Amino acid sequence: MIRVEHLFDSLLLIHKSASAVEPSRRAVRYHLDSKSASNRIEVLFYRAFSRLSLLSYGAAWEHTISNSNEVPSPSRDDTVNFYFHDFNALKEGGAITKNGDFSSWLSGQILRDFSEYFAFHLLEVYEVCVLLKQHNTELSEDDVSLAKEEVLSFERASIKDRLKRLHKEFQISIPFKKEILSLYEARNILAHANGLVEKKHYNNVKNLQIQWPVNKYYLVRRDTGKKIPYNRVSKPFLSEKYGKVEINWLSKFRKVTYSAGEKISLENRDFQDLVFFYLHVVEKMQLQIVELFLQHGIFVSPVETYTGTISGQFIGEDIPDEHSDSD
């Protein structure tokens, strides 16, 4: 997807090449056709979806390696390698410790990337909105320069200001702003303090708190109709005992607190929750972008034609249940 500032560079070049026309009378105009506009905003979603898919895969590897004895495979090319470790010796002992350290590092990188890519996604959304705002209008050289500067100033802005500007300038309302900013605080500590919390990082009276919304899953008992939290049901569960699954989407907040001296780290289930959370936010923004284009008379494909639907699978087995549920 071509950066909008590059488009404005091209428009400025057109202005400068139109030497036969008086500067005050020079104007350029570009028109967004429905197909190109639709493709452009679909790319926004596909890029975000692809990144979240990669982070989900990475989280699975982080969980897999955390207590593993596996060691890396040495390179088999002709280069001289500096591994610092004897992998064969690690197999005999020490691999779990090293893998635990690597898993912790990987956890921090994944958490950082959620926030950093989302900040980049906001920039791409803003560029598309600026592109739409200038669509089919006569632009003087000063207009083009100003539009380019708007994009560059947004790129320099903090995550908090990016959220504000999208709402103020284009009425795009991002849900769960407080939680997004909370997660970005964690990102800053990971980026600038190696994830180690200090008192100056506190956003509460006694600690640092980060939070995000999570889904709540329940299995419903056939005999009483009582809802049992999925994590409190013995696995595998009996389908004769539970007849229905209920999900409350993003209905509860997961809160994690850290005190000075502690290092920011999340569990695998937290990453799975974050994948769904950011996907939800991206989809909500996508709906508003589509509506914005439609309001400007440019038909673009409905979001549901390329986002798909969310589905899940809960499997129970008709085998003796040796454990009791924590009702």
Side-chain angles (χ1 to χ4, degrees):
M1 191 165 68
I2 299 174
R3 292 292 301 272
V4 171
E5 64 181 88
H6 298 159
L7 168 64
F8 292 144
D9 284 335
S10 300
L11 296 180
L12 287 172
L13 185 61
I14 293 173
H15 268 290
K16 295 184 185 303
S17 64
S19 56
V21 182
E22 293 180 23
S24 61
R25 296 175 56 192
R26 293 177 193 166
V28 294
R29 181 194 298 262
Y30 63 83
H31 177 73
L32 291 171
D33 64 87
S34 292
K35 183 177 181 180
S36 63
S38 189
N39 289 341
R40 192 175 187 89
I41 65 173
E42 285 179 39
V43 166
L44 283 177
F45 179 82
Y46 284 129
R47 282 186 171 181
F49 182 88
S50 177
R51 189 55 157 257
L52 290 173
S53 174
L54 177 63
L55 292 176
S56 176
Y57 185 79
W61 267 115
E62 181 273 329
H63 178 68
T64 300
I65 202 172
S66 59
N67 290 298
S68 170
N69 278 312
E70 290 297 315
V71 297
S73 299
S75 172
R76 300 192 182 282
D77 57 25
D78 293 330
T79 59
V80 177
N81 301 299
F82 295 91
Y83 289 123
F84 295 92
H85 302 98
D86 182 339
F87 294 146
N88 289 325
L90 282 176
K91 287 181 180 179
E92 304 301 322
I96 288 182
T97 299
K98 291 296 180 185
N99 287 343
D101 293 340
F102 179 65
S103 173
S104 178
W105 175 84
L106 190 58
S107 171
Q109 301 310 303
I110 294 170
L111 181 55
R112 278 186 62 176
D113 205 277
F114 275 115
S115 287
E116 290 175 0
Y117 187 81
F118 184 71
F120 174 72
H121 182 70
L122 294 177
L123 173 60
E124 291 201 308
V125 170
Y126 187 81
E127 287 186 327
V128 166
C129 292
V130 170
L131 186 68
L132 176 62
K133 183 175 71 172
Q134 306 293 354
H135 145 78
N136 211 23
T137 60
E138 290 192 354
L139 300 170
S140 68
E141 188 171 343
D142 288 342
D143 292 331
V144 177
S145 296
L146 181 60
K148 179 181 177 180
E149 180 53 36
E150 286 179 358
V151 173
L152 293 175
S153 68
F154 188 91
E155 188 170 8
R156 295 189 291 265
S158 66
I159 183 77
K160 186 175 183 179
D161 288 337
R162 291 186 184 196
L163 297 174
K164 285 182 178 179
R165 286 184 59 173
L166 277 170
H167 184 262
K168 181 179 179 180
E169 297 177 32
F170 301 105
Q171 292 73 55
I172 293 181
S173 179
I174 292 87
F176 301 110
K177 290 191 288 291
K178 179 181 177 181
E179 287 66 41
I180 290 170
L181 295 175
S182 164
L183 290 163
Y184 207 85
E185 286 185 58
R187 174 267 169 200
N188 288 338
I189 297 170
L190 286 162
H192 304 300
N194 197 31
L196 195 65
V197 175
E198 302 176 32
K199 286 187 177 180
K200 67 179 181 180
H201 298 137
Y202 287 4
N203 57 8
N204 212 325
V205 176
K206 297 181 180 180
N207 51 43
L208 168 76
Q209 183 180 92
I210 60 176
Q211 65 178 37
W212 61 94
V214 298
N215 301 326
K216 291 296 294 181
Y217 304 92
Y218 299 93
L219 292 175
V220 182
R221 293 182 63 118
R222 291 183 184 274
D223 54 354
T224 65
K226 185 177 181 180
K227 296 191 299 184
I228 311 297
Y230 181 74
N231 62 302
R232 292 170 57 188
V233 174
S234 300
K235 313 297 186 305
F237 59 85
L238 291 169
S239 58
E240 289 182 352
K241 193 172 185 179
Y242 300 98
K244 187 169 63 173
V245 175
E246 286 191 12
I247 304 174
N248 294 340
W249 304 108
L250 301 175
S251 60
K252 187 176 180 180
F253 288 93
R254 169 94 162 108
K255 298 180 180 179
V256 186
T257 59
Y258 300 94
S259 299
E262 293 183 329
K263 198 164 187 176
I264 293 176
S265 179
L266 297 184
E267 301 175 12
N268 183 259
R269 63 162 183 159
D270 298 329
F271 290 126
Q272 302 309 318
D273 289 335
L274 286 173
V275 168
F276 184 89
F277 166 58
Y278 278 105
L279 181 60
H280 169 81
V281 174
V282 167
E283 287 187 340
K284 290 296 184 183
M285 292 174 63
Q286 195 78 4
L287 287 167
Q288 295 175 76
I289 296 167
V290 168
E291 182 61 29
L292 192 62
F293 271 74
L294 294 175
Q295 289 172 4
H296 282 74
I298 302 176
F299 177 79
V300 292
S301 300
V303 174
E304 58 268 20
T305 62
Y306 53 87
T307 58
T309 57
I310 297 173
S311 63
Q313 190 174 30
F314 294 80
I315 301 175
E317 297 182 24
D318 292 325
I319 61 175
D321 190 355
E322 299 177 356
H323 307 283
S324 61
D325 300 329
S326 299
D327 292 358

